[in-house]
Amino acid sequence: MSLFNVFNVAGSGMAAQSTRLNTVASNLANADSVSATPEGAYRAREPLFATVRRSLDGKAPDAGSDGVRVLGIAESQAAIPSRYEPGNPLADADGNVYASNVNPVDELVNMISASRSYQNNVEVMNSTRQLMQKTLDLGK
């Protein structure tokens, strides 16, 4: 693997973690939302990732470089909680409203993990840049 490939891998990791952070932000923003129906309630979302690897002949089947790519965003299938709030304008005939299935504690853990992964990829890029710079300085 050349040093230029390291930039591709770290860059794709940064893009993936950025998607993860945006998903966490969306989940946290909708954590306290309610709906009149279980179908209309906000469901927690999570990005799905896949590894991209070069084949033995040096050609990646889909992206042209090693790294990670985002396959899509999946919705949680966890149960939607209901609360009895007859005074809420969104309450159904029984007085229930349906909350999101976002767990704020899990989302905060995901946010910390994604942030640290992003920072690690930045460090990989900086270290690679420094190694390349030192290599160029040897030729002076």
Side-chain angles (χ1 to χ4, degrees):
M1 174 187 283
S2 77
L3 287 179
F4 291 112
N5 287 344
V6 174
F7 289 116
N8 292 337
V9 173
S12 69
M14 289 170 63
Q17 295 308 320
S18 180
T19 300
R20 188 173 169 202
L21 284 168
N22 287 335
T23 305
V24 167
S26 177
N27 287 342
L28 287 173
N30 289 290
D32 290 331
S33 64
V34 294
S35 176
T37 63
E39 295 80 24
Y42 182 84
R43 293 185 173 273
R45 291 167 172 79
E46 186 172 331
L48 302 173
F49 302 118
T51 303
V52 177
R53 293 211 169 159
R54 289 185 185 269
S55 61
L56 292 176
D57 62 1
K59 296 179 181 174
D62 55 357
S65 66
D66 296 339
V68 64
R69 67 182 167 111
V70 179
L71 292 177
I73 307 292
E75 286 189 347
S76 170
Q77 297 304 312
I80 298 293
S82 64
R83 296 191 303 237
Y84 182 70
E85 292 182 13
N88 191 315
L90 294 175
D92 62 10
D94 297 329
N96 292 321
V97 292
Y98 300 91
S100 72
N101 62 356
V102 174
N103 183 340
V105 174
D106 287 345
E107 295 303 322
L108 290 174
V109 169
N110 279 335
M111 181 180 64
I112 291 168
S113 174
S115 176
R116 287 185 178 163
S117 293
Y118 189 93
Q119 289 171 347
N120 287 337
N121 282 306
V122 168
E123 287 299 317
V124 166
M125 290 186 96
N126 284 336
S127 295
T128 303
R129 182 187 56 80
Q130 289 173 355
L131 286 171
M132 292 179 88
Q133 185 65 44
K134 295 231 185 244
T135 302
L136 290 173
D137 288 344
L138 288 174
K140 287 183 179 180

